[in-house]
Amino acid sequence: MSELSEFPVNSRWAAKHPDRLQLYSVPTPNGVKVSIMLEEIGLPYEPHLIDISKNESWTPEFLALNPNGKIPAIVDPDGPGGKPFGLFESGAILVYLADKTGMLMPTDPGRRYETLQWLFFQMAAVGPMFGQVGYFYKFAGKDIEDKRPLERYRDESRRLLGVLDARLEGRRLFGRRHLAVRLGPQPYRFLRRAGLGGV
């Protein structure tokens, strides 16, 4: 394992346990996906809270790790070839961790791609749409008089829930240890718990 000092993010959020995977995130629906997976697979990690309310994801140190300025991001001190490896985007991190540990991802090629398609469905459709519903229903967007944006995102979220419900109909979930099953529906549970717009 090499030093983490080559990553500027370490100068602001110093690693107390440099031998562990470093997670830079905050407990949002997207931010918790990686920590949930790390708990599921039992990989030791050190969390660093990135306070997005103080724009910490836009600091030069964080941007050096993720130029898009979004959480989550990781630095794995024992990355490919035993060298430190930085990565951002929750979906990419989940696939990386599955590949690194051999957990939560089927080894059969067909089942692997099926898992990836549902993971990407969650990342590209469910997560963004539910985030927009949250914004327009519960947060700053609720004060916008024109309710068409809320209605659009609410209706699309309902449609996406219908896709998920149809997919999960009659399927056994518990005992399946795959990314799409364990982590994909996470925003679905969040949305129901938050009571967003009757979705």
Side-chain angles (χ1 to χ4, degrees):
M1 279 186 235
S2 303
E3 293 292 320
L4 299 178
S5 59
E6 65 187 77
F7 293 91
V9 73
N10 191 56
S11 67
R12 184 174 179 119
W13 294 278
K16 294 178 183 168
H17 305 282
D19 57 323
R20 297 180 187 175
L21 186 138
Q22 305 295 303
L23 170 63
Y24 305 91
S25 195
V26 66
T28 64
N30 191 51
V32 299
K33 291 174 190 168
V34 174
S35 56
I36 291 170
M37 180 158 184
L38 287 165
E39 292 294 327
E40 285 275 334
I41 63 178
L43 193 64
Y45 68 100
E46 180 177 346
H48 300 276
L49 179 66
I50 306 302
D51 191 340
I52 57 177
S53 71
K54 295 180 181 173
N55 293 320
E56 288 183 349
S57 65
W58 298 104
T59 61
E61 298 89 353
F62 190 83
L63 289 170
L65 179 58
N66 182 357
N68 193 34
K70 302 292 183 182
I71 54 94
I74 64 168
V75 173
D76 184 355
D78 188 24
K83 297 177 182 174
F85 181 66
L87 195 60
F88 62 91
E89 287 296 327
S90 55
I93 296 169
L94 295 176
V95 173
Y96 170 76
L97 293 173
D99 288 346
K100 176 182 175 77
T101 63
M103 299 174 72
L104 299 181
M105 182 67 76
T107 55
D108 173 75
R111 291 183 62 218
R112 176 183 170 86
Y113 286 116
E114 182 181 17
T115 298
L116 288 172
Q117 84 180 350
W118 286 102
L119 177 65
F120 294 167
F121 169 78
Q122 192 286 317
M123 298 296 165
V126 174
M129 286 301 112
F130 287 12
Q132 295 300 324
V133 169
Y135 175 81
F136 283 102
Y137 180 76
K138 193 162 181 126
F139 302 109
K142 69 182 178 187
D143 298 327
I144 296 173
E145 285 186 39
D146 184 354
K147 297 304 176 195
R148 286 177 296 174
L150 168 63
E151 291 166 0
R152 177 189 188 283
Y153 292 119
R154 184 196 59 215
D155 292 348
E156 178 62 5
S157 294
R158 284 181 177 157
R159 187 191 72 76
L160 293 170
L161 289 172
V163 171
L164 285 172
D165 286 344
R167 173 65 180 166
L168 298 174
E169 182 72 31
R171 293 179 185 265
R172 192 181 88 136
L173 290 182
F174 299 102
R176 295 279 309 272
R177 295 191 53 81
H178 303 286
L179 279 171
V181 171
R182 303 292 276 201
L183 302 176
Q186 187 274 334
Y188 173 81
R189 293 189 300 269
F190 169 78
L191 188 65
R192 295 283 193 203
R193 187 173 61 244
L196 299 179
V199 174

